[in-house]
Amino acid sequence: MKKLIVFDLDGTLAESKAPIDKEMAQLFSALLDVAKVAIISGGDWPQFEKQVIAHLPKGTKLSRLSILPTCGTKFYKYKSSGWKKIYSEDFTVDEKKKIIDSLNQAVEKSGFKADKTWGDQIEDRESQITFSALGQKAPLEPKKAWDPDFKKRKKIKVILDKLIPEFAVHLGGATSIDITKPGIDKAYGMYKLRDTLKITIKQMLFMGDALFDGGNDQPARTTGADCIQVRDPQETKRVIEGVIACLK
């Protein structure tokens, strides 16, 4: 029996940077009635608040929910007085500068520089630097159309891996590339969940839309945890219904 259900966010629980819908909110809350739940994503803490927490129904058992922003480089738990940060693996000023300079160079060299963007392309999330090809505020449809097969970002990643081999580069979301310290990825987050919650990896189940090689969910598979690849939030809903039925 699984004791902890772990989710990716964008593309799994919700569309990219969009809030979970009402049906997902109800199912997610019902899942918390029968199991502990965690979310690991490349987004920062405010994204979790806007996309998930603000939409959960009253009475949801938040004490059973763990939030791991920026690919597990941060960890939040709900206490009686509210959400508390457990840890954060932040970059130094010099590390941030090198990563941002390398990102700009890699995008230029790849030939995939976007003609139109919505908002900033590079976001400093303290423990992670995230590149969004069309900008942080880009509409969903252009984002879906820009790199559906990940080929553009894979080419950028190859260049980045050579420029900044001391950091880890992950592909995530619809148009994003996440950069963290080495060894800080969703596998790191899974192990932090194991150590903090005292739940074994075999007692966890991970769901994500990018479990393929090079995808930002793939490190979760390397832990030995059972994983389920989902196409989109609609498929995630059906899987959650099955998990609830089994755990009841």
Side-chain angles (χ1 to χ4, degrees):
M1 295 294 288
K2 301 301 181 183
K3 292 186 177 181
L4 177 65
I5 315 300
V6 188
F7 294 92
D8 168 52
L9 179 50
D10 284 347
T12 301
L13 290 174
E15 296 290 357
S16 180
K17 295 195 176 176
I20 58 174
D21 63 25
K22 187 173 182 180
E23 182 185 14
M24 182 65 81
Q26 294 290 342
L27 284 169
F28 195 86
S29 182
L31 181 61
L32 282 164
D33 286 335
V34 297
K36 291 182 178 180
V37 179
I39 309 174
I40 307 176
S41 173
D44 207 351
W45 170 248
Q47 195 170 326
F48 287 85
E49 289 185 298
K50 293 176 184 176
Q51 288 187 252
V52 180
I53 295 169
H55 303 278
L56 295 175
K58 187 177 180 180
T60 295
K61 295 177 180 177
L62 296 177
S63 61
R64 293 189 173 191
L65 178 60
S66 299
I67 300 291
L68 285 77
T70 55
C71 292
T73 58
K74 298 180 183 178
F75 194 124
Y76 286 79
K77 282 291 294 177
Y78 188 83
K79 306 293 184 180
S80 57
S81 56
W83 289 97
K84 300 295 182 184
K85 185 191 295 185
I86 306 301
Y87 70 78
S88 183
E89 303 282 351
D90 294 342
F91 287 125
T92 66
V93 173
D94 288 343
E95 287 174 330
K96 290 179 184 179
K97 184 179 186 304
K98 183 172 183 180
I99 291 168
I100 292 170
D101 289 347
S102 298
L103 263 171
N104 287 324
Q105 184 179 340
V107 173
E108 192 73 40
K109 188 174 181 180
S110 72
F112 296 130
K113 191 172 183 179
D115 295 326
K116 181 178 180 181
T117 59
W118 292 261
D120 294 334
Q121 286 181 294
I122 297 177
E123 183 181 359
D124 177 2
R125 297 176 176 173
E126 299 299 335
S127 58
Q128 176 179 297
I129 303 296
T130 294
F131 169 76
S132 297
L134 302 184
Q136 295 290 329
K137 299 179 181 179
L140 184 58
E141 289 310 311
K143 288 171 68 173
K144 282 186 172 181
W146 187 75
D147 189 29
D149 55 8
F150 286 75
K151 287 183 179 178
K152 293 178 181 178
R153 281 173 291 164
K154 284 180 179 177
K155 184 173 180 180
I156 297 171
K157 173 176 162 55
V158 168
I159 299 170
L160 279 172
D161 285 340
K162 294 178 181 177
L163 291 173
I164 48 172
E166 68 271 39
F167 298 107
V169 181
H170 308 282
L171 311 182
T175 65
S176 63
I177 296 173
D178 300 322
I179 300 170
T180 66
K181 292 181 179 180
I184 306 294
D185 54 23
K186 289 184 179 175
Y188 178 87
M190 296 283 279
Y191 290 129
K192 281 292 189 178
L193 284 167
R194 177 197 64 189
D195 297 341
T196 303
L197 303 180
K198 308 304 180 186
I199 294 174
T200 68
I201 295 294
K202 289 297 183 183
Q203 291 173 315
M204 300 181 192
L205 174 66
F206 181 90
M207 286 184 233
D209 68 319
L211 281 159
F212 50 83
D213 288 346
N216 73 335
D217 296 328
Q218 193 271 338
R221 192 186 294 279
T222 68
T223 65
D226 288 329
C227 296
I228 297 177
Q229 171 85 32
V230 293
R231 290 188 302 271
D232 53 34
Q234 296 306 313
E235 185 172 19
T236 302
K237 291 175 185 177
R238 306 291 76 86
V239 177
I240 291 175
E241 287 174 337
V243 171
I244 292 172
C246 289
L247 293 179
K248 276 186 175 180

